[in-house]
Amino acid sequence: MGVDSEILKLISLCKKGDRKAQFDLYGRYSGLLYAVALRYTNTKIDAEDVVQNSWVKIFSKLDSFSENNSFEGWMRRIVVNTAITLYRKNQKHANQIDIADVHATPRDIEASRKCDFTRDELERAIARLPEGYGLIFKLYVIDGYKHKEIAEMLDIEVNTSKSQLSRAKKYLQNQLCYMEKKAIPLPEENTDEKNK
Amino acid sequence: MKPTNDLFEQQVRSKYEGYEVPAPASTMDAVFNELDLAKSGSFASKSLLIVASIITVGSIYMISDKPTQTESLESSTQIEQEVVDTEVLIEETTEEFDIIVEVEEPTTTEQTVDPVLVQETNVAQQNVISEEVVVAKKPAIVVDEIKEVAQPVEVVETKTPDVKEQKEEEKKKEKVEWVLPAKIKVEK
């Protein structure tokens, strides 16, 4: 996975401190990185802080970027790591709430697979999860981190990461299916038949 | 990003592909202000380092030009030389002392008067020297050396009859001398 020549040229100019190239790079990726920051923070203010610190790190550590890797992935990782640092800082003052066991039956899971849901619905469902569970779910499912990486980032056991992901998935599937069921309007065909 | 076979995971991931949220303009200003600060800060720190190094080098150069340092260096070398000289002297005296001690033993057997007196003076001087040496280097050996030196004192005691003989001879001479005026008186 390489980086296209246009981006490489921008990167080399940014390394030299070219302000125009820095503006260009920021304009290209600011929306993407801000979305990532919003996903891993609770408030917009926190997201802005995270993305600001991340951009400063990106520009100051461009020399450490290897051209063989994905530039977008490298930047996303910086944003996620900055957000995790903030999360861990806040976590010292917060009590960890454990998720209640969700007993999702195989039928529920099957149903949720068939359910359709929007991103907003998904985000609302994730927001209901305890913070640690939601974080592991986002890291594993949305951003594609491995359990070992998550365990290192959050300073937890690999098995803890696995078990919390499993619980979070069951909970979300159940919630999304329930929300969809609620949104489904009552079948009109039957009422029409009754009227007839 | 790792691939997944889970349908639910694929569904969730698809919701975020290419998802962007326009960042507020204030964030951009804050980012570039911070970059400017970092740049100016690094420049200021570098210039401060350069100025500080120039001042230190200059001060070292100025201090090295002052004569006081050379004088002190010279005095230190003199002291070293003196120390070396005294060490040499001490070695020499100890050597002399050893030789004299060897000589003292045969003098006791000879039982002569004049050499013994000379040796006694030597021993007196040597004792002084040896005490100095002992204080400087070997306090344990001093006791032995003093004991050895004490022997000639005994020898001097043994030689007291010689002195008596001398006195007797002198008395005899005096008697003779005393007799002569008597004879002179008698002649008168």
Side-chain angles (χ1 to χ4, degrees), chain A residues 118-151:
Chain A
T118 63
R119 198 184 55 251
D120 286 340
E121 286 170 345
L122 177 66
E123 283 180 355
R124 266 183 273 151
I126 291 170
R128 288 197 200 102
L129 280 169
E131 208 170 5
Y133 287 74
L135 194 58
I136 290 167
F137 179 82
K138 285 182 269 189
L139 286 168
Y140 187 87
V141 177
I142 299 171
D143 286 303
Y145 283 88
K146 293 171 186 169
H147 281 297
K148 197 183 172 186
E149 290 174 311
I150 295 167

PDB file of all heavy atoms in Angstrom, chain A residues 118-151:
ATOM      1  N   THR A 118     -29.260   3.315  10.254  1.00  0.00           N
ATOM      2  CA  THR A 118     -28.460   4.452   9.776  1.00  0.00           C
ATOM      3  C   THR A 118     -27.261   4.678  10.709  1.00  0.00           C
ATOM      4  O   THR A 118     -27.190   4.086  11.802  1.00  0.00           O
ATOM      5  CB  THR A 118     -29.304   5.745   9.764  1.00  0.00           C
ATOM      6  OG1 THR A 118     -29.692   6.036  11.091  1.00  0.00           O
ATOM      7  CG2 THR A 118     -30.531   5.603   8.865  1.00  0.00           C
ATOM      8  N   ARG A 119     -26.350   5.558  10.255  1.00  0.00           N
ATOM      9  CA  ARG A 119     -25.175   5.861  11.084  1.00  0.00           C
ATOM     10  C   ARG A 119     -25.587   6.570  12.378  1.00  0.00           C
ATOM     11  O   ARG A 119     -25.014   6.318  13.440  1.00  0.00           O
ATOM     12  CB  ARG A 119     -24.182   6.714  10.295  1.00  0.00           C
ATOM     13  CG  ARG A 119     -22.781   6.703  10.908  1.00  0.00           C
ATOM     14  CD  ARG A 119     -21.817   7.609  10.191  1.00  0.00           C
ATOM     15  NE  ARG A 119     -22.298   8.962  10.106  1.00  0.00           N
ATOM     16  CZ  ARG A 119     -22.710   9.557   8.990  1.00  0.00           C
ATOM     17  NH1 ARG A 119     -22.687   8.907   7.841  1.00  0.00           N
ATOM     18  NH2 ARG A 119     -23.163  10.805   8.992  1.00  0.00           N
ATOM     19  N   ASP A 120     -26.568   7.439  12.282  1.00  0.00           N
ATOM     20  CA  ASP A 120     -27.032   8.151  13.483  1.00  0.00           C
ATOM     21  C   ASP A 120     -27.584   7.165  14.516  1.00  0.00           C
ATOM     22  O   ASP A 120     -27.318   7.306  15.716  1.00  0.00           O
ATOM     23  CB  ASP A 120     -28.113   9.171  13.110  1.00  0.00           C
ATOM     24  CG  ASP A 120     -27.520  10.386  12.416  1.00  0.00           C
ATOM     25  OD1 ASP A 120     -26.300  10.598  12.584  1.00  0.00           O
ATOM     26  OD2 ASP A 120     -28.253  11.097  11.722  1.00  0.00           O
ATOM     27  N   GLU A 121     -28.348   6.220  14.034  1.00  0.00           N
ATOM     28  CA  GLU A 121     -28.911   5.209  14.948  1.00  0.00           C
ATOM     29  C   GLU A 121     -27.790   4.400  15.600  1.00  0.00           C
ATOM     30  O   GLU A 121     -27.826   4.126  16.801  1.00  0.00           O
ATOM     31  CB  GLU A 121     -29.848   4.269  14.169  1.00  0.00           C
ATOM     32  CG  GLU A 121     -31.184   4.911  13.811  1.00  0.00           C
ATOM     33  CD  GLU A 121     -32.001   4.077  12.841  1.00  0.00           C
ATOM     34  OE1 GLU A 121     -31.446   3.144  12.222  1.00  0.00           O
ATOM     35  OE2 GLU A 121     -33.208   4.360  12.712  1.00  0.00           O
ATOM     36  N   LEU A 122     -26.850   4.054  14.785  1.00  0.00           N
ATOM     37  CA  LEU A 122     -25.710   3.293  15.309  1.00  0.00           C
ATOM     38  C   LEU A 122     -24.964   4.107  16.378  1.00  0.00           C
ATOM     39  O   LEU A 122     -24.622   3.584  17.440  1.00  0.00           O
ATOM     40  CB  LEU A 122     -24.772   2.925  14.164  1.00  0.00           C
ATOM     41  CG  LEU A 122     -23.487   2.191  14.538  1.00  0.00           C
ATOM     42  CD1 LEU A 122     -23.792   0.803  15.095  1.00  0.00           C
ATOM     43  CD2 LEU A 122     -22.559   2.073  13.344  1.00  0.00           C
ATOM     44  N   GLU A 123     -24.753   5.377  16.084  1.00  0.00           N
ATOM     45  CA  GLU A 123     -24.005   6.217  17.030  1.00  0.00           C
ATOM     46  C   GLU A 123     -24.777   6.420  18.333  1.00  0.00           C
ATOM     47  O   GLU A 123     -24.186   6.456  19.409  1.00  0.00           O
ATOM     48  CB  GLU A 123     -23.656   7.563  16.375  1.00  0.00           C
ATOM     49  CG  GLU A 123     -22.484   7.413  15.420  1.00  0.00           C
ATOM     50  CD  GLU A 123     -22.081   8.700  14.745  1.00  0.00           C
ATOM     51  OE1 GLU A 123     -22.767   9.731  14.942  1.00  0.00           O
ATOM     52  OE2 GLU A 123     -21.088   8.671  14.015  1.00  0.00           O
ATOM     53  N   ARG A 124     -26.076   6.534  18.193  1.00  0.00           N
ATOM     54  CA  ARG A 124     -26.893   6.675  19.407  1.00  0.00           C
ATOM     55  C   ARG A 124     -26.824   5.397  20.242  1.00  0.00           C
ATOM     56  O   ARG A 124     -26.749   5.439  21.472  1.00  0.00           O
ATOM     57  CB  ARG A 124     -28.349   6.980  19.024  1.00  0.00           C
ATOM     58  CG  ARG A 124     -28.642   8.468  19.006  1.00  0.00           C
ATOM     59  CD  ARG A 124     -30.097   8.722  18.692  1.00  0.00           C
ATOM     60  NE  ARG A 124     -30.318   8.776  17.255  1.00  0.00           N
ATOM     61  CZ  ARG A 124     -31.449   8.440  16.634  1.00  0.00           C
ATOM     62  NH1 ARG A 124     -32.479   7.992  17.316  1.00  0.00           N
ATOM     63  NH2 ARG A 124     -31.554   8.528  15.331  1.00  0.00           N
ATOM     64  N   ALA A 125     -26.824   4.263  19.560  1.00  0.00           N
ATOM     65  CA  ALA A 125     -26.740   2.980  20.267  1.00  0.00           C
ATOM     66  C   ALA A 125     -25.367   2.825  20.925  1.00  0.00           C
ATOM     67  O   ALA A 125     -25.267   2.383  22.080  1.00  0.00           O
ATOM     68  CB  ALA A 125     -26.988   1.832  19.292  1.00  0.00           C
ATOM     69  N   ILE A 126     -24.332   3.233  20.206  1.00  0.00           N
ATOM     70  CA  ILE A 126     -22.960   3.148  20.775  1.00  0.00           C
ATOM     71  C   ILE A 126     -22.843   4.072  21.992  1.00  0.00           C
ATOM     72  O   ILE A 126     -22.197   3.728  22.984  1.00  0.00           O
ATOM     73  CB  ILE A 126     -21.904   3.499  19.695  1.00  0.00           C
ATOM     74  CG1 ILE A 126     -21.845   2.408  18.622  1.00  0.00           C
ATOM     75  CG2 ILE A 126     -20.526   3.664  20.323  1.00  0.00           C
ATOM     76  CD1 ILE A 126     -21.015   2.775  17.393  1.00  0.00           C
ATOM     77  N   ALA A 127     -23.494   5.225  21.912  1.00  0.00           N
ATOM     78  CA  ALA A 127     -23.433   6.189  23.019  1.00  0.00           C
ATOM     79  C   ALA A 127     -24.063   5.626  24.293  1.00  0.00           C
ATOM     80  O   ALA A 127     -23.715   6.065  25.397  1.00  0.00           O
ATOM     81  CB  ALA A 127     -24.113   7.482  22.612  1.00  0.00           C
ATOM     82  N   ARG A 128     -24.946   4.665  24.138  1.00  0.00           N
ATOM     83  CA  ARG A 128     -25.583   4.068  25.328  1.00  0.00           C
ATOM     84  C   ARG A 128     -24.678   3.026  25.986  1.00  0.00           C
ATOM     85  O   ARG A 128     -24.924   2.620  27.121  1.00  0.00           O
ATOM     86  CB  ARG A 128     -26.918   3.401  24.931  1.00  0.00           C
ATOM     87  CG  ARG A 128     -28.004   4.401  24.612  1.00  0.00           C
ATOM     88  CD  ARG A 128     -29.372   3.728  24.634  1.00  0.00           C
ATOM     89  NE  ARG A 128     -30.329   4.539  23.880  1.00  0.00           N
ATOM     90  CZ  ARG A 128     -30.741   4.271  22.647  1.00  0.00           C
ATOM     91  NH1 ARG A 128     -30.309   3.189  22.028  1.00  0.00           N
ATOM     92  NH2 ARG A 128     -31.594   5.064  22.033  1.00  0.00           N
ATOM     93  N   LEU A 129     -23.698   2.590  25.252  1.00  0.00           N
ATOM     94  CA  LEU A 129     -22.763   1.590  25.809  1.00  0.00           C
ATOM     95  C   LEU A 129     -21.866   2.234  26.866  1.00  0.00           C
ATOM     96  O   LEU A 129     -21.578   3.427  26.775  1.00  0.00           O
ATOM     97  CB  LEU A 129     -21.854   1.051  24.707  1.00  0.00           C
ATOM     98  CG  LEU A 129     -22.375  -0.028  23.765  1.00  0.00           C
ATOM     99  CD1 LEU A 129     -21.394  -0.186  22.596  1.00  0.00           C
ATOM    100  CD2 LEU A 129     -22.488  -1.359  24.499  1.00  0.00           C
ATOM    101  N   PRO A 130     -21.434   1.451  27.848  1.00  0.00           N
ATOM    102  CA  PRO A 130     -20.374   1.970  28.732  1.00  0.00           C
ATOM    103  C   PRO A 130     -19.163   2.372  27.886  1.00  0.00           C
ATOM    104  O   PRO A 130     -18.883   1.731  26.863  1.00  0.00           O
ATOM    105  CB  PRO A 130     -20.053   0.781  29.642  1.00  0.00           C
ATOM    106  CG  PRO A 130     -21.256  -0.064  29.596  1.00  0.00           C
ATOM    107  CD  PRO A 130     -21.858   0.110  28.242  1.00  0.00           C
ATOM    108  N   GLU A 131     -18.455   3.397  28.336  1.00  0.00           N
ATOM    109  CA  GLU A 131     -17.428   4.026  27.491  1.00  0.00           C
ATOM    110  C   GLU A 131     -16.369   3.035  26.999  1.00  0.00           C
ATOM    111  O   GLU A 131     -15.977   3.076  25.833  1.00  0.00           O
ATOM    112  CB  GLU A 131     -16.763   5.170  28.258  1.00  0.00           C
ATOM    113  CG  GLU A 131     -16.236   6.236  27.331  1.00  0.00           C
ATOM    114  CD  GLU A 131     -15.793   7.483  28.058  1.00  0.00           C
ATOM    115  OE1 GLU A 131     -15.802   7.496  29.301  1.00  0.00           O
ATOM    116  OE2 GLU A 131     -15.436   8.447  27.380  1.00  0.00           O
ATOM    117  N   GLY A 132     -15.919   2.167  27.899  1.00  0.00           N
ATOM    118  CA  GLY A 132     -14.888   1.207  27.533  1.00  0.00           C
ATOM    119  C   GLY A 132     -15.344   0.256  26.438  1.00  0.00           C
ATOM    120  O   GLY A 132     -14.602  -0.029  25.493  1.00  0.00           O
ATOM    121  N   TYR A 133     -16.570  -0.200  26.563  1.00  0.00           N
ATOM    122  CA  TYR A 133     -17.124  -1.132  25.566  1.00  0.00           C
ATOM    123  C   TYR A 133     -17.252  -0.445  24.210  1.00  0.00           C
ATOM    124  O   TYR A 133     -16.902  -1.021  23.165  1.00  0.00           O
ATOM    125  CB  TYR A 133     -18.502  -1.624  26.019  1.00  0.00           C
ATOM    126  CG  TYR A 133     -18.461  -2.597  27.170  1.00  0.00           C
ATOM    127  CD1 TYR A 133     -18.183  -2.160  28.456  1.00  0.00           C
ATOM    128  CD2 TYR A 133     -18.717  -3.950  26.977  1.00  0.00           C
ATOM    129  CE1 TYR A 133     -18.153  -3.031  29.514  1.00  0.00           C
ATOM    130  CE2 TYR A 133     -18.686  -4.838  28.031  1.00  0.00           C
ATOM    131  CZ  TYR A 133     -18.409  -4.378  29.306  1.00  0.00           C
ATOM    132  OH  TYR A 133     -18.365  -5.248  30.349  1.00  0.00           O
ATOM    133  N   GLY A 134     -17.784   0.780  24.243  1.00  0.00           N
ATOM    134  CA  GLY A 134     -17.949   1.537  23.000  1.00  0.00           C
ATOM    135  C   GLY A 134     -16.619   1.792  22.319  1.00  0.00           C
ATOM    136  O   GLY A 134     -16.499   1.687  21.094  1.00  0.00           O
ATOM    137  N   LEU A 135     -15.611   2.089  23.143  1.00  0.00           N
ATOM    138  CA  LEU A 135     -14.277   2.370  22.619  1.00  0.00           C
ATOM    139  C   LEU A 135     -13.699   1.139  21.927  1.00  0.00           C
ATOM    140  O   LEU A 135     -13.161   1.239  20.810  1.00  0.00           O
ATOM    141  CB  LEU A 135     -13.377   2.805  23.783  1.00  0.00           C
ATOM    142  CG  LEU A 135     -12.056   3.458  23.448  1.00  0.00           C
ATOM    143  CD1 LEU A 135     -12.253   4.701  22.608  1.00  0.00           C
ATOM    144  CD2 LEU A 135     -11.316   3.805  24.723  1.00  0.00           C
ATOM    145  N   ILE A 136     -13.826  -0.007  22.570  1.00  0.00           N
ATOM    146  CA  ILE A 136     -13.295  -1.243  21.987  1.00  0.00           C
ATOM    147  C   ILE A 136     -14.052  -1.576  20.697  1.00  0.00           C
ATOM    148  O   ILE A 136     -13.444  -1.972  19.693  1.00  0.00           O
ATOM    149  CB  ILE A 136     -13.380  -2.400  23.006  1.00  0.00           C
ATOM    150  CG1 ILE A 136     -12.358  -2.157  24.127  1.00  0.00           C
ATOM    151  CG2 ILE A 136     -13.133  -3.750  22.347  1.00  0.00           C
ATOM    152  CD1 ILE A 136     -12.534  -3.035  25.340  1.00  0.00           C
ATOM    153  N   PHE A 137     -15.359  -1.389  20.726  1.00  0.00           N
ATOM    154  CA  PHE A 137     -16.156  -1.664  19.530  1.00  0.00           C
ATOM    155  C   PHE A 137     -15.696  -0.774  18.360  1.00  0.00           C
ATOM    156  O   PHE A 137     -15.488  -1.253  17.244  1.00  0.00           O
ATOM    157  CB  PHE A 137     -17.648  -1.428  19.827  1.00  0.00           C
ATOM    158  CG  PHE A 137     -18.536  -1.668  18.646  1.00  0.00           C
ATOM    159  CD1 PHE A 137     -18.950  -2.954  18.306  1.00  0.00           C
ATOM    160  CD2 PHE A 137     -18.958  -0.613  17.848  1.00  0.00           C
ATOM    161  CE1 PHE A 137     -19.767  -3.174  17.197  1.00  0.00           C
ATOM    162  CE2 PHE A 137     -19.756  -0.827  16.745  1.00  0.00           C
ATOM    163  CZ  PHE A 137     -20.170  -2.102  16.418  1.00  0.00           C
ATOM    164  N   LYS A 138     -15.525   0.516  18.630  1.00  0.00           N
ATOM    165  CA  LYS A 138     -15.126   1.450  17.568  1.00  0.00           C
ATOM    166  C   LYS A 138     -13.723   1.127  17.056  1.00  0.00           C
ATOM    167  O   LYS A 138     -13.478   1.154  15.843  1.00  0.00           O
ATOM    168  CB  LYS A 138     -15.185   2.893  18.090  1.00  0.00           C
ATOM    169  CG  LYS A 138     -16.599   3.433  18.209  1.00  0.00           C
ATOM    170  CD  LYS A 138     -16.624   4.859  18.674  1.00  0.00           C
ATOM    171  CE  LYS A 138     -16.710   4.962  20.153  1.00  0.00           C
ATOM    172  NZ  LYS A 138     -16.935   6.308  20.680  1.00  0.00           N
ATOM    173  N   LEU A 139     -12.830   0.819  17.994  1.00  0.00           N
ATOM    174  CA  LEU A 139     -11.449   0.522  17.584  1.00  0.00           C
ATOM    175  C   LEU A 139     -11.389  -0.741  16.727  1.00  0.00           C
ATOM    176  O   LEU A 139     -10.692  -0.784  15.713  1.00  0.00           O
ATOM    177  CB  LEU A 139     -10.552   0.348  18.824  1.00  0.00           C
ATOM    178  CG  LEU A 139     -10.171   1.622  19.582  1.00  0.00           C
ATOM    179  CD1 LEU A 139      -9.547   1.285  20.921  1.00  0.00           C
ATOM    180  CD2 LEU A 139      -9.194   2.466  18.766  1.00  0.00           C
ATOM    181  N   TYR A 140     -12.152  -1.763  17.144  1.00  0.00           N
ATOM    182  CA  TYR A 140     -12.075  -3.055  16.458  1.00  0.00           C
ATOM    183  C   TYR A 140     -12.888  -3.058  15.165  1.00  0.00           C
ATOM    184  O   TYR A 140     -12.387  -3.422  14.104  1.00  0.00           O
ATOM    185  CB  TYR A 140     -12.563  -4.168  17.396  1.00  0.00           C
ATOM    186  CG  TYR A 140     -12.368  -5.555  16.832  1.00  0.00           C
ATOM    187  CD1 TYR A 140     -11.161  -6.231  17.018  1.00  0.00           C
ATOM    188  CD2 TYR A 140     -13.381  -6.188  16.115  1.00  0.00           C
ATOM    189  CE1 TYR A 140     -10.976  -7.499  16.492  1.00  0.00           C
ATOM    190  CE2 TYR A 140     -13.200  -7.448  15.588  1.00  0.00           C
ATOM    191  CZ  TYR A 140     -12.004  -8.096  15.782  1.00  0.00           C
ATOM    192  OH  TYR A 140     -11.820  -9.350  15.252  1.00  0.00           O
ATOM    193  N   VAL A 141     -14.142  -2.628  15.262  1.00  0.00           N
ATOM    194  CA  VAL A 141     -15.063  -2.775  14.126  1.00  0.00           C
ATOM    195  C   VAL A 141     -14.902  -1.634  13.114  1.00  0.00           C
ATOM    196  O   VAL A 141     -14.791  -1.883  11.912  1.00  0.00           O
ATOM    197  CB  VAL A 141     -16.535  -2.861  14.619  1.00  0.00           C
ATOM    198  CG1 VAL A 141     -17.503  -2.941  13.452  1.00  0.00           C
ATOM    199  CG2 VAL A 141     -16.718  -4.066  15.521  1.00  0.00           C
ATOM    200  N   ILE A 142     -14.854  -0.411  13.582  1.00  0.00           N
ATOM    201  CA  ILE A 142     -14.835   0.725  12.639  1.00  0.00           C
ATOM    202  C   ILE A 142     -13.417   0.990  12.127  1.00  0.00           C
ATOM    203  O   ILE A 142     -13.213   1.173  10.934  1.00  0.00           O
ATOM    204  CB  ILE A 142     -15.427   1.993  13.306  1.00  0.00           C
ATOM    205  CG1 ILE A 142     -16.890   1.733  13.720  1.00  0.00           C
ATOM    206  CG2 ILE A 142     -15.357   3.189  12.359  1.00  0.00           C
ATOM    207  CD1 ILE A 142     -17.509   2.810  14.565  1.00  0.00           C
ATOM    208  N   ASP A 143     -12.423   1.008  13.031  1.00  0.00           N
ATOM    209  CA  ASP A 143     -11.069   1.374  12.607  1.00  0.00           C
ATOM    210  C   ASP A 143     -10.137   0.182  12.402  1.00  0.00           C
ATOM    211  O   ASP A 143      -8.975   0.387  12.030  1.00  0.00           O
ATOM    212  CB  ASP A 143     -10.471   2.356  13.620  1.00  0.00           C
ATOM    213  CG  ASP A 143     -11.107   3.726  13.474  1.00  0.00           C
ATOM    214  OD1 ASP A 143     -11.049   4.292  12.370  1.00  0.00           O
ATOM    215  OD2 ASP A 143     -11.707   4.227  14.443  1.00  0.00           O
ATOM    216  N   GLY A 144     -10.635  -1.016  12.631  1.00  0.00           N
ATOM    217  CA  GLY A 144      -9.899  -2.219  12.249  1.00  0.00           C
ATOM    218  C   GLY A 144      -8.651  -2.534  13.051  1.00  0.00           C
ATOM    219  O   GLY A 144      -7.718  -3.164  12.545  1.00  0.00           O
ATOM    220  N   TYR A 145      -8.603  -2.121  14.296  1.00  0.00           N
ATOM    221  CA  TYR A 145      -7.460  -2.498  15.153  1.00  0.00           C
ATOM    222  C   TYR A 145      -7.617  -3.952  15.610  1.00  0.00           C
ATOM    223  O   TYR A 145      -8.744  -4.459  15.695  1.00  0.00           O
ATOM    224  CB  TYR A 145      -7.392  -1.594  16.389  1.00  0.00           C
ATOM    225  CG  TYR A 145      -6.835  -0.218  16.109  1.00  0.00           C
ATOM    226  CD1 TYR A 145      -7.654   0.819  15.698  1.00  0.00           C
ATOM    227  CD2 TYR A 145      -5.479   0.037  16.252  1.00  0.00           C
ATOM    228  CE1 TYR A 145      -7.145   2.086  15.433  1.00  0.00           C
ATOM    229  CE2 TYR A 145      -4.963   1.298  15.993  1.00  0.00           C
ATOM    230  CZ  TYR A 145      -5.800   2.317  15.580  1.00  0.00           C
ATOM    231  OH  TYR A 145      -5.277   3.553  15.320  1.00  0.00           O
ATOM    232  N   LYS A 146      -6.493  -4.599  15.898  1.00  0.00           N
ATOM    233  CA  LYS A 146      -6.519  -5.979  16.411  1.00  0.00           C
ATOM    234  C   LYS A 146      -6.653  -5.939  17.935  1.00  0.00           C
ATOM    235  O   LYS A 146      -6.330  -4.923  18.558  1.00  0.00           O
ATOM    236  CB  LYS A 146      -5.229  -6.701  16.026  1.00  0.00           C
ATOM    237  CG  LYS A 146      -5.116  -6.918  14.530  1.00  0.00           C
ATOM    238  CD  LYS A 146      -3.746  -7.431  14.170  1.00  0.00           C
ATOM    239  CE  LYS A 146      -3.603  -7.504  12.657  1.00  0.00           C
ATOM    240  NZ  LYS A 146      -2.229  -7.744  12.232  1.00  0.00           N
ATOM    241  N   HIS A 147      -7.076  -7.068  18.490  1.00  0.00           N
ATOM    242  CA  HIS A 147      -7.273  -7.123  19.946  1.00  0.00           C
ATOM    243  C   HIS A 147      -5.972  -6.844  20.707  1.00  0.00           C
ATOM    244  O   HIS A 147      -5.988  -6.202  21.762  1.00  0.00           O
ATOM    245  CB  HIS A 147      -7.822  -8.497  20.348  1.00  0.00           C
ATOM    246  CG  HIS A 147      -9.287  -8.630  20.088  1.00  0.00           C
ATOM    247  ND1 HIS A 147     -10.231  -7.848  20.715  1.00  0.00           N
ATOM    248  CD2 HIS A 147      -9.984  -9.448  19.253  1.00  0.00           C
ATOM    249  CE1 HIS A 147     -11.442  -8.181  20.291  1.00  0.00           C
ATOM    250  NE2 HIS A 147     -11.325  -9.149  19.389  1.00  0.00           N
ATOM    251  N   LYS A 148      -4.859  -7.327  20.151  1.00  0.00           N
ATOM    252  CA  LYS A 148      -3.564  -7.112  20.816  1.00  0.00           C
ATOM    253  C   LYS A 148      -3.228  -5.610  20.862  1.00  0.00           C
ATOM    254  O   LYS A 148      -2.750  -5.091  21.876  1.00  0.00           O
ATOM    255  CB  LYS A 148      -2.473  -7.870  20.056  1.00  0.00           C
ATOM    256  CG  LYS A 148      -1.206  -8.062  20.849  1.00  0.00           C
ATOM    257  CD  LYS A 148      -0.159  -8.753  20.031  1.00  0.00           C
ATOM    258  CE  LYS A 148       1.161  -8.748  20.772  1.00  0.00           C
ATOM    259  NZ  LYS A 148       2.250  -9.295  19.951  1.00  0.00           N
ATOM    260  N   GLU A 149      -3.493  -4.950  19.740  1.00  0.00           N
ATOM    261  CA  GLU A 149      -3.220  -3.508  19.674  1.00  0.00           C
ATOM    262  C   GLU A 149      -4.132  -2.747  20.645  1.00  0.00           C
ATOM    263  O   GLU A 149      -3.686  -1.829  21.348  1.00  0.00           O
ATOM    264  CB  GLU A 149      -3.456  -2.996  18.247  1.00  0.00           C
ATOM    265  CG  GLU A 149      -2.423  -3.465  17.243  1.00  0.00           C
ATOM    266  CD  GLU A 149      -2.781  -3.057  15.822  1.00  0.00           C
ATOM    267  OE1 GLU A 149      -3.941  -3.284  15.401  1.00  0.00           O
ATOM    268  OE2 GLU A 149      -1.903  -2.529  15.129  1.00  0.00           O
ATOM    269  N   ILE A 150      -5.394  -3.155  20.683  1.00  0.00           N
ATOM    270  CA  ILE A 150      -6.354  -2.486  21.584  1.00  0.00           C
ATOM    271  C   ILE A 150      -5.932  -2.687  23.046  1.00  0.00           C
ATOM    272  O   ILE A 150      -5.980  -1.749  23.854  1.00  0.00           O
ATOM    273  CB  ILE A 150      -7.785  -3.035  21.345  1.00  0.00           C
ATOM    274  CG1 ILE A 150      -8.246  -2.656  19.934  1.00  0.00           C
ATOM    275  CG2 ILE A 150      -8.759  -2.504  22.388  1.00  0.00           C
ATOM    276  CD1 ILE A 150      -9.496  -3.391  19.474  1.00  0.00           C
ATOM    277  N   ALA A 151      -5.505  -3.917  23.344  1.00  0.00           N
ATOM    278  CA  ALA A 151      -5.086  -4.213  24.717  1.00  0.00           C
ATOM    279  C   ALA A 151      -3.903  -3.336  25.126  1.00  0.00           C
ATOM    280  O   ALA A 151      -3.849  -2.827  26.252  1.00  0.00           O
ATOM    281  CB  ALA A 151      -4.719  -5.689  24.820  1.00  0.00           C
TER     282      ALA A 151
END
